[in-house]
Amino acid sequence: KLDQANITERVGEHAVIYHLKAPRAPLNPAYRMLSPSSYFYPGSPIQRILQAEKPELIEVCDKYNLHYLAALARSRLMQEIDHRPTTVGLSCERMDDNFAVYLGRSRAGQAFCRWYMRWAYFAFFDHHIAISRHTAEELRGVSDGHAIERGVWLRHPGVETPLFRCRNPRAEARAKLLRRLRLGDGCRLLLY
């Protein structure tokens, strides 16, 4: 355990989940927000986790607070972290779309989003993964002519059905799972 407020959960032989306290996001309370104070200072919770785990790769799926962690890691600015992990930015949505939902679509807002993504997000990572062409276009657009070259990889989420299709469906296994989940026979099962 890291401390009383934060819980460490061991999942099997090779995985650990660290639960950190985080306040609700101001514009959407359905989300939690890790502020820079959780990783910026020596001895902060995320710096302690990074020191203990020594990851080779850090993936960040946040454009608003946690992405600064990638910049600190890339620049080796965290004194207590004695290694330099590869940093990957995972983009599941576009910033300009999020901005428009909460603050409206305007030319000034769109210009701010382009500036932010180019100078306060894009260069902070070694690589970028986008889950759709629409999302990748925002990253590729801000990378044009940028002094720092980064790869933007398109990886659609989901199951590779040719590889993972059920060749021999077993009716009794399906029925058992439906009973366990308290679902009717007509339900479709989807593993995600």
Side-chain angles (χ1 to χ4, degrees):
K1 293 192 176 185
L2 292 175
D3 61 41
Q4 306 291 358
N6 302 310
I7 301 167
T8 304
E9 177 185 347
R10 187 155 292 285
V11 182
E13 186 179 340
H14 303 288
V16 177
I17 299 172
Y18 293 94
H19 298 267
L20 302 177
K21 291 185 91 169
R24 294 188 186 280
L27 296 177
N28 187 339
Y31 289 97
R32 298 288 181 157
M33 186 175 76
L34 287 170
S35 67
S37 65
S38 65
Y39 59 82
F40 189 76
Y41 302 105
S44 57
I46 294 178
Q47 280 203 29
R48 292 194 322 244
I49 292 168
L50 293 174
Q51 187 59 34
E53 296 294 333
K54 299 188 182 342
E56 294 178 16
L57 183 135
I58 297 173
E59 178 188 274
V60 175
C61 186
D62 176 30
K63 290 180 174 66
Y64 309 106
N65 289 301
L66 200 53
H67 70 292
Y68 296 109
L69 172 66
L72 294 172
R74 283 195 83 252
S75 303
R76 299 188 72 128
L77 292 175
M78 293 184 283
Q79 296 173 355
E80 300 197 6
I81 308 306
D82 57 2
H83 65 288
R84 201 294 208 176
T86 299
T87 60
V88 175
L90 174 61
S91 289
C92 297
E93 74 283 323
R94 290 174 59 124
M95 182 178 179
D96 56 1
D97 288 342
N98 284 346
F99 188 96
V101 166
Y102 292 107
L103 302 171
R105 193 171 297 277
S106 68
R107 284 189 179 166
Q110 297 302 298
F112 169 76
C113 290
R114 282 191 301 278
W115 174 87
Y116 182 92
M117 289 298 292
R118 184 175 177 89
W119 300 111
Y121 181 79
F122 181 77
F124 290 5
F125 297 94
D126 295 307
H127 301 280
H128 290 274
I129 298 173
I131 66 160
S132 70
R133 281 191 181 100
H134 178 67
T135 304
E137 286 169 3
E138 180 179 51
L139 293 165
R140 290 181 178 140
V142 299
S143 72
D144 287 345
H146 204 294
I148 298 172
E149 291 187 29
R150 302 280 183 262
V152 177
W153 308 94
L154 180 60
R155 296 293 180 259
H156 297 284
V159 176
E160 292 184 37
T161 53
L163 182 62
F164 293 105
R165 75 173 186 264
C166 187
R167 289 181 178 88
N168 299 312
R170 295 186 320 171
E172 83 181 45
R174 176 183 163 75
K176 182 178 177 181
L177 183 58
L178 288 171
R179 280 192 308 275
R180 183 174 173 201
L181 297 173
R182 297 184 181 124
L183 299 172
D185 290 336
C187 287
R188 288 186 182 215
L189 299 175
L190 174 66
L191 174 67
Y192 177 72

